Amino acid sequence: MLGVIDLPTYLAGTVLIVLLPGPNSLYVLSVAARRGIRTGYKAAAGVWCGDTVLMTLSAAGVASLLQANAVLFGIVKYAGAGYLTWLAVGMLRAAWSMWRTRRERIAAAEAGLAEAPSPQERPFRRAFVISLLNPKAILFFIAFFVQFVDRSYAYPAISFVVLGAFAQIASVLYLSALIFSGTRLSAAFRRRKRLSAGATSAAGVLFLGFAVKLSLASV
């Protein structure tokens, strides 16, 4: 079908890959839990746009340059690890602030005051960068996609579009589930600031783990 080989196997592999936890899904869940459905979808849109860029680069063969050039791969790898570390530090600082000011926040919540969103956080841009600065994802996309494209097909670009569309559909469904789950968590976070601070701390630690894992990745 349109130059795609063994579509059922590709779909099964895509679902398993999308369900694997990673910084993208964790960030979307965190944003949805703190800011609600609309802001959660802004973050999700950043992930989808970032994934689209990676898929396009993979289809164009750009990712193979990273695989062949160890220096370039290292630059992108450490840039991505550094950005994830910066996000982790920000989360841990926010969690510490929650611990210190939880009494004031509880009093404000009881008075019916809504928590103002941070003007510095831009969910779409942050999620886009998280998705884009992931060299292992680039290498994965090119290695995974190529296996399901018929080399004899006259229009391979169409094959990549079909494969990418299925991957994005799976991502939309999964992130939507996370967003609506996150809004349920948000009510609990507003009532229990210790829970909110603890969850933010855990997210920061996980992002540090992602950064370490990324920095240790090899071509």
Side-chain angles (χ1 to χ4, degrees):
M1 182 187 76
L2 299 177
V4 176
I5 302 172
D6 199 0
L7 182 59
T9 301
Y10 170 77
L11 293 177
T14 299
V15 170
L16 291 176
I17 292 162
V18 168
L19 291 177
L20 289 175
N24 293 346
S25 57
L26 178 62
Y27 180 69
V28 171
L29 177 61
S30 173
V31 169
R34 290 182 288 113
R35 305 291 175 79
I37 294 177
R38 176 176 293 185
T39 310
Y41 270 109
K42 287 182 180 180
V47 172
W48 298 325
C49 289
D51 286 347
T52 299
V53 172
L54 292 181
M55 293 176 191
T56 302
L57 293 175
S58 298
V62 175
S64 61
L65 297 178
L66 294 177
Q67 193 171 17
N69 191 319
V71 175
L72 182 59
F73 177 83
I75 292 173
V76 176
K77 177 179 69 173
Y78 289 115
Y83 186 73
L84 291 179
T85 301
W86 179 74
L87 290 179
V89 171
M91 289 181 178
L92 292 174
R93 290 179 61 186
W96 175 247
S97 177
M98 290 178 189
W99 283 110
R100 294 181 59 186
T101 62
R102 62 183 182 276
R103 291 183 179 179
E104 291 81 357
R105 289 171 181 265
I106 292 174
E110 292 176 350
L113 299 178
E115 183 177 351
S118 172
Q120 296 180 348
E121 184 176 10
R122 296 177 175 85
F124 175 87
R125 188 176 70 178
R126 182 166 293 186
F128 178 78
V129 176
I130 291 174
S131 179
L132 197 59
L133 289 178
N134 193 341
K136 291 195 70 176
I138 297 175
L139 298 179
F140 164 78
F141 276 127
I142 192 170
F144 190 66
F145 279 10
V146 169
Q147 297 179 29
F148 298 93
V149 175
D150 186 356
R151 297 180 181 273
S152 63
Y153 188 64
Y155 307 101
I158 296 178
S159 305
F160 281 107
V161 169
V162 172
L163 295 174
F166 280 118
Q168 290 289 46
I169 290 173
S171 179
V172 167
L173 295 176
Y174 177 57
L175 291 183
S176 294
L178 290 182
I179 289 170
F180 285 97
S181 298
T183 56
R184 292 184 178 182
L185 292 175
S186 65
F189 287 165
R190 285 193 295 267
R191 291 193 303 267
R192 301 180 180 180
K193 293 304 175 181
R194 289 185 179 181
L195 177 62
S196 180
T200 304
S201 299
V205 172
L206 285 175
F207 266 75
L208 281 178
F210 290 135
V212 172
K213 183 178 180 180
L214 181 57
S215 65
L216 297 177
S218 57
V219 180

